[in-house]
mmCIF file of all heavy atoms in Angstrom:
data_model
loop_
_atom_site.group_PDB
_atom_site.id
_atom_site.type_symbol
_atom_site.label_atom_id
_atom_site.label_comp_id
_atom_site.label_asym_id
_atom_site.label_seq_id
_atom_site.Cartn_x
_atom_site.Cartn_y
_atom_site.Cartn_z
ATOM 1 N N HIS A 1 60.379 62.223 141.728
ATOM 2 C CA HIS A 1 60.201 62.082 140.280
ATOM 3 C C HIS A 1 59.032 62.939 139.825
ATOM 4 O O HIS A 1 58.065 63.155 140.556
ATOM 5 C CB HIS A 1 59.942 60.612 139.912
ATOM 6 C CG HIS A 1 58.797 59.992 140.678
ATOM 7 N ND1 HIS A 1 57.486 60.092 140.269
ATOM 8 C CD2 HIS A 1 58.777 59.291 141.832
ATOM 9 C CE1 HIS A 1 56.703 59.469 141.137
ATOM 10 N NE2 HIS A 1 57.450 58.974 142.098
ATOM 11 N N ALA A 2 59.138 63.438 138.608
ATOM 12 C CA ALA A 2 58.081 64.233 137.979
ATOM 13 C C ALA A 2 58.329 64.207 136.483
ATOM 14 O O ALA A 2 59.481 64.074 136.039
ATOM 15 C CB ALA A 2 58.080 65.668 138.511
ATOM 16 N N PRO A 3 57.272 64.323 135.658
ATOM 17 C CA PRO A 3 57.441 64.223 134.201
ATOM 18 C C PRO A 3 58.461 65.202 133.628
ATOM 19 O O PRO A 3 59.200 64.856 132.696
ATOM 20 C CB PRO A 3 56.033 64.511 133.671
ATOM 21 C CG PRO A 3 55.121 64.114 134.776
ATOM 22 C CD PRO A 3 55.852 64.428 136.043
ATOM 23 N N LEU A 4 58.499 66.423 134.150
ATOM 24 C CA LEU A 4 59.433 67.431 133.637
ATOM 25 C C LEU A 4 60.693 67.533 134.492
ATOM 26 O O LEU A 4 61.483 68.466 134.348
ATOM 27 C CB LEU A 4 58.743 68.792 133.542
ATOM 28 C CG LEU A 4 57.537 68.843 132.601
ATOM 29 C CD1 LEU A 4 56.926 70.246 132.584
ATOM 30 C CD2 LEU A 4 57.914 68.410 131.188
ATOM 31 N N GLY A 5 60.873 66.581 135.391
ATOM 32 C CA GLY A 5 62.118 66.494 136.127
ATOM 33 C C GLY A 5 62.099 67.117 137.511
ATOM 34 O O GLY A 5 61.123 67.740 137.944
ATOM 35 N N VAL A 6 63.209 66.889 138.198
ATOM 36 C CA VAL A 6 63.475 67.459 139.524
ATOM 37 C C VAL A 6 64.665 68.395 139.365
ATOM 38 O O VAL A 6 65.713 68.004 138.837
ATOM 39 C CB VAL A 6 63.779 66.351 140.551
ATOM 40 C CG1 VAL A 6 64.057 66.959 141.924
ATOM 41 C CG2 VAL A 6 62.639 65.336 140.618
ATOM 42 N N TRP A 7 64.515 69.631 139.836
ATOM 43 C CA TRP A 7 65.523 70.672 139.633
ATOM 44 C C TRP A 7 65.904 71.279 140.976
ATOM 45 O O TRP A 7 65.042 71.532 141.816
ATOM 46 C CB TRP A 7 64.982 71.747 138.696
ATOM 47 C CG TRP A 7 64.543 71.200 137.379
ATOM 48 C CD1 TRP A 7 63.365 70.552 137.102
ATOM 49 C CD2 TRP A 7 65.283 71.203 136.157
ATOM 50 N NE1 TRP A 7 63.320 70.168 135.785
ATOM 51 C CE2 TRP A 7 64.480 70.562 135.169
ATOM 52 C CE3 TRP A 7 66.524 71.718 135.784
ATOM 53 C CZ2 TRP A 7 64.892 70.404 133.857
ATOM 54 C CZ3 TRP A 7 66.939 71.570 134.462
ATOM 55 C CH2 TRP A 7 66.133 70.916 133.521
ATOM 56 N N LEU A 8 67.194 71.536 141.165
ATOM 57 C CA LEU A 8 67.687 71.953 142.486
ATOM 58 C C LEU A 8 68.717 73.063 142.354
ATOM 59 O O LEU A 8 69.528 73.065 141.427
ATOM 60 C CB LEU A 8 68.290 70.733 143.189
ATOM 61 C CG LEU A 8 68.936 70.913 144.552
ATOM 62 C CD1 LEU A 8 68.699 69.662 145.419
ATOM 63 C CD2 LEU A 8 70.449 71.147 144.414
ATOM 64 N N VAL A 9 68.674 74.000 143.315
ATOM 65 C CA VAL A 9 69.702 75.033 143.431
ATOM 66 C C VAL A 9 70.305 74.975 144.833
ATOM 67 O O VAL A 9 69.745 74.369 145.744
ATOM 68 C CB VAL A 9 69.134 76.442 143.146
ATOM 69 C CG1 VAL A 9 68.574 76.524 141.741
ATOM 70 C CG2 VAL A 9 68.077 76.833 144.176
ATOM 71 N N ARG A 10 71.442 75.619 144.987
ATOM 72 C CA ARG A 10 72.114 75.652 146.287
ATOM 73 C C ARG A 10 71.423 76.587 147.274
ATOM 74 O O ARG A 10 70.870 77.610 146.890
ATOM 75 C CB ARG A 10 73.548 76.152 146.134
ATOM 76 C CG ARG A 10 74.563 75.165 145.651
ATOM 77 C CD ARG A 10 75.917 75.866 145.622
ATOM 78 N NE ARG A 10 76.971 75.057 145.028
ATOM 79 C CZ ARG A 10 78.162 75.540 144.719
ATOM 80 N NH1 ARG A 10 78.445 76.815 144.954
ATOM 81 N NH2 ARG A 10 79.074 74.752 144.182
ATOM 82 N N GLY A 11 71.535 76.245 148.542
ATOM 83 C CA GLY A 11 71.232 77.163 149.629
ATOM 84 C C GLY A 11 72.500 77.469 150.397
ATOM 85 O O GLY A 11 73.619 77.189 149.930
ATOM 86 N N ASN A 12 72.353 78.025 151.585
ATOM 87 C CA ASN A 12 73.557 78.338 152.361
ATOM 88 C C ASN A 12 74.296 77.076 152.802
ATOM 89 O O ASN A 12 75.528 77.030 152.807
ATOM 90 C CB ASN A 12 73.231 79.231 153.556
ATOM 91 C CG ASN A 12 72.082 78.745 154.406
ATOM 92 O OD1 ASN A 12 70.923 78.868 154.003
ATOM 93 N ND2 ASN A 12 72.373 78.190 155.579
ATOM 94 N N TRP A 13 73.562 76.008 153.150
ATOM 95 C CA TRP A 13 74.234 74.801 153.621
ATOM 96 C C TRP A 13 75.041 74.135 152.510
ATOM 97 O O TRP A 13 76.135 73.597 152.761
ATOM 98 C CB TRP A 13 73.234 73.826 154.234
ATOM 99 C CG TRP A 13 72.829 74.247 155.609
ATOM 100 C CD1 TRP A 13 71.740 74.985 155.961
ATOM 101 C CD2 TRP A 13 73.540 73.989 156.825
ATOM 102 N NE1 TRP A 13 71.719 75.209 157.321
ATOM 103 C CE2 TRP A 13 72.808 74.605 157.876
ATOM 104 C CE3 TRP A 13 74.709 73.312 157.133
ATOM 105 C CZ2 TRP A 13 73.227 74.545 159.203
ATOM 106 C CZ3 TRP A 13 75.124 73.245 158.460
ATOM 107 C CH2 TRP A 13 74.381 73.868 159.483
ATOM 108 N N GLU A 14 74.552 74.165 151.282
ATOM 109 C CA GLU A 14 75.337 73.620 150.169
ATOM 110 C C GLU A 14 76.575 74.472 149.901
ATOM 111 O O GLU A 14 77.618 73.950 149.483
ATOM 112 C CB GLU A 14 74.480 73.523 148.907
ATOM 113 C CG GLU A 14 73.455 72.410 148.921
ATOM 114 C CD GLU A 14 72.150 72.790 149.595
ATOM 115 O OE1 GLU A 14 72.008 73.967 150.004
ATOM 116 O OE2 GLU A 14 71.276 71.933 149.719
ATOM 117 N N ASN A 15 76.479 75.769 150.133
ATOM 118 C CA ASN A 15 77.646 76.629 149.968
ATOM 119 C C ASN A 15 78.651 76.436 151.098
ATOM 120 O O ASN A 15 79.864 76.610 150.890
ATOM 121 C CB ASN A 15 77.211 78.096 149.882
ATOM 122 C CG ASN A 15 76.784 78.496 148.477
ATOM 123 O OD1 ASN A 15 77.614 78.619 147.580
ATOM 124 N ND2 ASN A 15 75.491 78.682 148.269
ATOM 125 N N TRP A 16 78.174 76.098 152.262
ATOM 126 C CA TRP A 16 79.086 75.839 153.381
ATOM 127 C C TRP A 16 79.753 74.471 153.267
ATOM 128 O O TRP A 16 80.812 74.238 153.861
ATOM 129 C CB TRP A 16 78.333 75.914 154.707
ATOM 130 C CG TRP A 16 77.873 77.283 155.071
ATOM 131 C CD1 TRP A 16 78.360 78.474 154.608
ATOM 132 C CD2 TRP A 16 76.815 77.627 155.972
ATOM 133 N NE1 TRP A 16 77.673 79.528 155.170
ATOM 134 C CE2 TRP A 16 76.719 79.044 156.020
ATOM 135 C CE3 TRP A 16 75.934 76.886 156.758
ATOM 136 C CZ2 TRP A 16 75.781 79.713 156.817
ATOM 137 C CZ3 TRP A 16 74.998 77.548 157.551
ATOM 138 C CH2 TRP A 16 74.930 78.948 157.571
ATOM 139 N N HIS A 17 79.125 73.555 152.547
ATOM 140 C CA HIS A 17 79.646 72.188 152.404
ATOM 141 C C HIS A 17 79.660 71.820 150.914
ATOM 142 O O HIS A 17 78.978 70.886 150.492
ATOM 143 C CB HIS A 17 78.776 71.192 153.168
ATOM 144 C CG HIS A 17 78.669 71.458 154.639
ATOM 145 N ND1 HIS A 17 79.606 71.032 155.549
ATOM 146 C CD2 HIS A 17 77.739 72.122 155.359
ATOM 147 C CE1 HIS A 17 79.252 71.409 156.769
ATOM 148 N NE2 HIS A 17 78.125 72.081 156.682
ATOM 149 N N VAL A 18 80.451 72.550 150.133
ATOM 150 C CA VAL A 18 80.480 72.293 148.692
ATOM 151 C C VAL A 18 81.056 70.899 148.444
ATOM 152 O O VAL A 18 82.106 70.533 148.986
ATOM 153 C CB VAL A 18 81.306 73.365 147.960
ATOM 154 C CG1 VAL A 18 81.430 73.005 146.478
ATOM 155 C CG2 VAL A 18 80.656 74.729 148.115
ATOM 156 N N LEU A 19 80.361 70.136 147.624
ATOM 157 C CA LEU A 19 80.715 68.747 147.355
ATOM 158 C C LEU A 19 81.554 68.648 146.093
ATOM 159 O O LEU A 19 81.202 69.204 145.050
ATOM 160 C CB LEU A 19 79.427 67.926 147.192
ATOM 161 C CG LEU A 19 79.581 66.442 146.876
ATOM 162 C CD1 LEU A 19 80.162 65.703 148.084
ATOM 163 C CD2 LEU A 19 78.225 65.846 146.494
ATOM 164 N N ASP A 20 82.679 67.923 146.168
ATOM 165 C CA ASP A 20 83.437 67.614 144.953
ATOM 166 C C ASP A 20 82.570 66.740 144.053
ATOM 167 O O ASP A 20 81.950 65.783 144.513
ATOM 168 C CB ASP A 20 84.733 66.871 145.305
ATOM 169 C CG ASP A 20 85.751 67.765 145.995
ATOM 170 O OD1 ASP A 20 85.665 68.993 145.827
ATOM 171 O OD2 ASP A 20 86.614 67.224 146.719
ATOM 172 N N GLY A 21 82.538 67.065 142.776
ATOM 173 C CA GLY A 21 81.690 66.303 141.863
ATOM 174 C C GLY A 21 80.214 66.554 142.082
ATOM 175 O O GLY A 21 79.384 65.659 141.882
ATOM 176 N N GLU A 22 79.889 67.788 142.477
ATOM 177 C CA GLU A 22 78.505 68.149 142.810
ATOM 178 C C GLU A 22 77.523 67.853 141.674
ATOM 179 O O GLU A 22 76.507 67.177 141.907
ATOM 180 C CB GLU A 22 78.466 69.628 143.200
ATOM 181 C CG GLU A 22 77.161 70.121 143.765
ATOM 182 C CD GLU A 22 77.274 71.576 144.207
ATOM 183 O OE1 GLU A 22 78.175 72.295 143.722
ATOM 184 O OE2 GLU A 22 76.459 71.997 145.040
ATOM 185 N N PRO A 23 77.770 68.299 140.432
ATOM 186 C CA PRO A 23 76.807 68.010 139.364
ATOM 187 C C PRO A 23 76.592 66.515 139.150
ATOM 188 O O PRO A 23 75.459 66.058 138.922
ATOM 189 C CB PRO A 23 77.424 68.675 138.133
ATOM 190 C CG PRO A 23 78.332 69.734 138.683
ATOM 191 C CD PRO A 23 78.873 69.152 139.945
ATOM 192 N N GLU A 24 77.668 65.734 139.227
ATOM 193 C CA GLU A 24 77.556 64.287 139.022
ATOM 194 C C GLU A 24 76.752 63.630 140.138
ATOM 195 O O GLU A 24 75.972 62.697 139.897
ATOM 196 C CB GLU A 24 78.953 63.665 138.931
ATOM 197 C CG GLU A 24 78.965 62.152 138.834
ATOM 198 C CD GLU A 24 78.301 61.625 137.575
ATOM 199 O OE1 GLU A 24 78.086 62.395 136.616
ATOM 200 O OE2 GLU A 24 77.969 60.427 137.559
ATOM 201 N N PHE A 25 76.936 64.111 141.363
ATOM 202 C CA PHE A 25 76.159 63.578 142.494
ATOM 203 C C PHE A 25 74.671 63.702 142.225
ATOM 204 O O PHE A 25 73.901 62.758 142.425
ATOM 205 C CB PHE A 25 76.528 64.333 143.774
ATOM 206 C CG PHE A 25 75.620 64.047 144.939
ATOM 207 C CD1 PHE A 25 75.811 62.928 145.740
ATOM 208 C CD2 PHE A 25 74.553 64.902 145.236
ATOM 209 C CE1 PHE A 25 74.952 62.654 146.810
ATOM 210 C CE2 PHE A 25 73.708 64.634 146.302
ATOM 211 C CZ PHE A 25 73.906 63.506 147.093
ATOM 212 N N TYR A 26 74.239 64.861 141.754
ATOM 213 C CA TYR A 26 72.819 65.062 141.485
ATOM 214 C C TYR A 26 72.373 64.291 140.238
ATOM 215 O O TYR A 26 71.267 63.739 140.212
ATOM 216 C CB TYR A 26 72.522 66.555 141.328
ATOM 217 C CG TYR A 26 72.675 67.321 142.626
ATOM 218 C CD1 TYR A 26 73.631 68.329 142.754
ATOM 219 C CD2 TYR A 26 71.872 67.018 143.725
ATOM 220 C CE1 TYR A 26 73.777 69.025 143.949
ATOM 221 C CE2 TYR A 26 72.020 67.710 144.919
ATOM 222 C CZ TYR A 26 72.978 68.710 145.025
ATOM 223 O OH TYR A 26 73.118 69.382 146.212
ATOM 224 N N ARG A 27 73.234 64.244 139.229
ATOM 225 C CA ARG A 27 72.874 63.546 138.003
ATOM 226 C C ARG A 27 72.576 62.080 138.267
ATOM 227 O O ARG A 27 71.639 61.512 137.699
ATOM 228 C CB ARG A 27 74.002 63.681 136.968
ATOM 229 C CG ARG A 27 73.614 63.169 135.575
ATOM 230 C CD ARG A 27 74.810 63.066 134.661
ATOM 231 N NE ARG A 27 75.750 62.052 135.135
ATOM 232 C CZ ARG A 27 75.571 60.748 134.956
ATOM 233 N NH1 ARG A 27 74.493 60.290 134.347
ATOM 234 N NH2 ARG A 27 76.475 59.898 135.409
ATOM 235 N N ARG A 28 73.367 61.451 139.156
ATOM 236 C CA ARG A 28 73.147 60.035 139.473
ATOM 237 C C ARG A 28 71.804 59.815 140.151
ATOM 238 O O ARG A 28 71.283 58.696 140.139
ATOM 239 C CB ARG A 28 74.267 59.512 140.370
ATOM 240 C CG ARG A 28 75.615 59.414 139.685
ATOM 241 C CD ARG A 28 76.536 58.438 140.410
ATOM 242 N NE ARG A 28 76.620 58.693 141.845
ATOM 243 C CZ ARG A 28 77.528 59.477 142.415
ATOM 244 N NH1 ARG A 28 78.426 60.106 141.669
ATOM 245 N NH2 ARG A 28 77.551 59.646 143.722
ATOM 246 N N ARG A 29 71.245 60.841 140.769
ATOM 247 C CA ARG A 29 69.932 60.742 141.417
ATOM 248 C C ARG A 29 68.802 61.284 140.530
ATOM 249 O O ARG A 29 67.714 61.539 141.008
ATOM 250 C CB ARG A 29 69.935 61.491 142.745
ATOM 251 C CG ARG A 29 70.489 60.633 143.882
ATOM 252 C CD ARG A 29 71.891 61.038 144.200
ATOM 253 N NE ARG A 29 72.471 60.167 145.238
ATOM 254 C CZ ARG A 29 73.770 59.911 145.303
ATOM 255 N NH1 ARG A 29 74.597 60.428 144.405
ATOM 256 N NH2 ARG A 29 74.251 59.132 146.244
ATOM 257 N N GLN A 30 69.095 61.505 139.253
ATOM 258 C CA GLN A 30 68.092 62.011 138.312
ATOM 259 C C GLN A 30 67.596 63.406 138.702
ATOM 260 O O GLN A 30 66.424 63.731 138.512
ATOM 261 C CB GLN A 30 66.895 61.046 138.225
ATOM 262 C CG GLN A 30 67.252 59.607 137.970
ATOM 263 C CD GLN A 30 67.777 59.375 136.553
ATOM 264 O OE1 GLN A 30 67.163 59.810 135.594
ATOM 265 N NE2 GLN A 30 68.903 58.697 136.426
ATOM 266 N N VAL A 31 68.492 64.199 139.268
ATOM 267 C CA VAL A 31 68.174 65.577 139.650
ATOM 268 C C VAL A 31 69.028 66.518 138.809
ATOM 269 O O VAL A 31 70.237 66.322 138.680
ATOM 270 C CB VAL A 31 68.437 65.813 141.154
ATOM 271 C CG1 VAL A 31 68.261 67.286 141.515
ATOM 272 C CG2 VAL A 31 67.506 64.944 141.994
ATOM 273 N N SER A 32 68.406 67.537 138.249
ATOM 274 C CA SER A 32 69.127 68.532 137.453
ATOM 275 C C SER A 32 69.569 69.675 138.360
ATOM 276 O O SER A 32 68.744 70.298 139.031
ATOM 277 C CB SER A 32 68.235 69.068 136.333
ATOM 278 O OG SER A 32 67.866 68.020 135.452
ATOM 279 N N PHE A 33 70.871 69.934 138.371
ATOM 280 C CA PHE A 33 71.465 70.945 139.244
ATOM 281 C C PHE A 33 71.672 72.232 138.451
ATOM 282 O O PHE A 33 72.311 72.229 137.393
ATOM 283 C CB PHE A 33 72.794 70.417 139.777
ATOM 284 C CG PHE A 33 73.584 71.391 140.589
ATOM 285 C CD1 PHE A 33 73.022 72.035 141.672
ATOM 286 C CD2 PHE A 33 74.916 71.646 140.279
ATOM 287 C CE1 PHE A 33 73.760 72.932 142.433
ATOM 288 C CE2 PHE A 33 75.666 72.527 141.025
ATOM 289 C CZ PHE A 33 75.083 73.168 142.116
ATOM 290 N N LEU A 34 71.109 73.313 138.938
ATOM 291 C CA LEU A 34 71.219 74.602 138.265
ATOM 292 C C LEU A 34 72.059 75.550 139.109
ATOM 293 O O LEU A 34 71.664 75.906 140.216
ATOM 294 C CB LEU A 34 69.832 75.204 138.038
ATOM 295 C CG LEU A 34 68.897 74.445 137.087
ATOM 296 C CD1 LEU A 34 67.539 75.133 137.016
ATOM 297 C CD2 LEU A 34 69.502 74.327 135.696
ATOM 298 N N LEU A 35 73.196 75.941 138.587
ATOM 299 C CA LEU A 35 74.079 76.876 139.275
ATOM 300 C C LEU A 35 74.312 78.064 138.358
ATOM 301 O O LEU A 35 75.154 78.031 137.462
ATOM 302 C CB LEU A 35 75.404 76.204 139.647
ATOM 303 C CG LEU A 35 76.383 77.050 140.464
ATOM 304 C CD1 LEU A 35 75.783 77.413 141.822
ATOM 305 C CD2 LEU A 35 77.708 76.314 140.641
ATOM 306 N N ASN A 36 73.490 79.096 138.550
ATOM 307 C CA ASN A 36 73.550 80.297 137.712
ATOM 308 C C ASN A 36 73.392 79.963 136.226
ATOM 309 O O ASN A 36 74.174 80.405 135.370
ATOM 310 C CB ASN A 36 74.864 81.053 137.943
ATOM 311 C CG ASN A 36 74.976 81.590 139.345
ATOM 312 O OD1 ASN A 36 73.987 82.042 139.925
ATOM 313 N ND2 ASN A 36 76.168 81.522 139.916
ATOM 314 N N ARG A 37 72.379 79.160 135.938
ATOM 315 C CA ARG A 37 72.083 78.854 134.545
ATOM 316 C C ARG A 37 70.593 78.607 134.365
ATOM 317 O O ARG A 37 69.868 78.324 135.331
ATOM 318 C CB ARG A 37 72.891 77.656 134.036
ATOM 319 C CG ARG A 37 72.534 76.310 134.649
ATOM 320 C CD ARG A 37 73.464 75.232 134.115
ATOM 321 N NE ARG A 37 73.123 73.913 134.646
ATOM 322 C CZ ARG A 37 72.293 73.065 134.038
ATOM 323 N NH1 ARG A 37 71.714 73.404 132.889
ATOM 324 N NH2 ARG A 37 72.040 71.872 134.567
ATOM 325 N N GLY A 38 70.148 78.720 133.121
ATOM 326 C CA GLY A 38 68.751 78.515 132.800
ATOM 327 C C GLY A 38 68.553 77.215 132.053
ATOM 328 O O GLY A 38 69.475 76.675 131.440
ATOM 329 N N ALA A 39 67.326 76.705 132.102
ATOM 330 C CA ALA A 39 66.987 75.479 131.390
ATOM 331 C C ALA A 39 65.517 75.552 130.976
ATOM 332 O O ALA A 39 64.652 75.934 131.777
ATOM 333 C CB ALA A 39 67.232 74.260 132.266
#
């Protein structure tokens, strides 16, 4: 946790094991997932 949030991008292991519903998985953990986008 942090006041301005927790932000995450993929590495090679996430690309090798792409998760169905990936954005929702992170959202449920209060993590913002960035995939080729800015915030």
Side-chain angles (χ1 to χ4, degrees):
H1 54 86
L4 299 180
V6 180
W7 303 79
L8 177 146
V9 300
R10 280 182 186 169
N12 50 285
W13 283 95
E14 287 85 4
N15 276 288
W16 291 339
H17 301 276
V18 175
L19 179 69
D20 289 337
E22 189 176 22
E24 175 63 16
F25 169 83
Y26 292 117
R27 189 191 65 78
R28 291 201 310 269
R29 276 103 183 150
Q30 309 290 311
V31 173
S32 298
F33 175 54
L34 295 177
L35 184 63
N36 295 322
R37 68 183 182 92

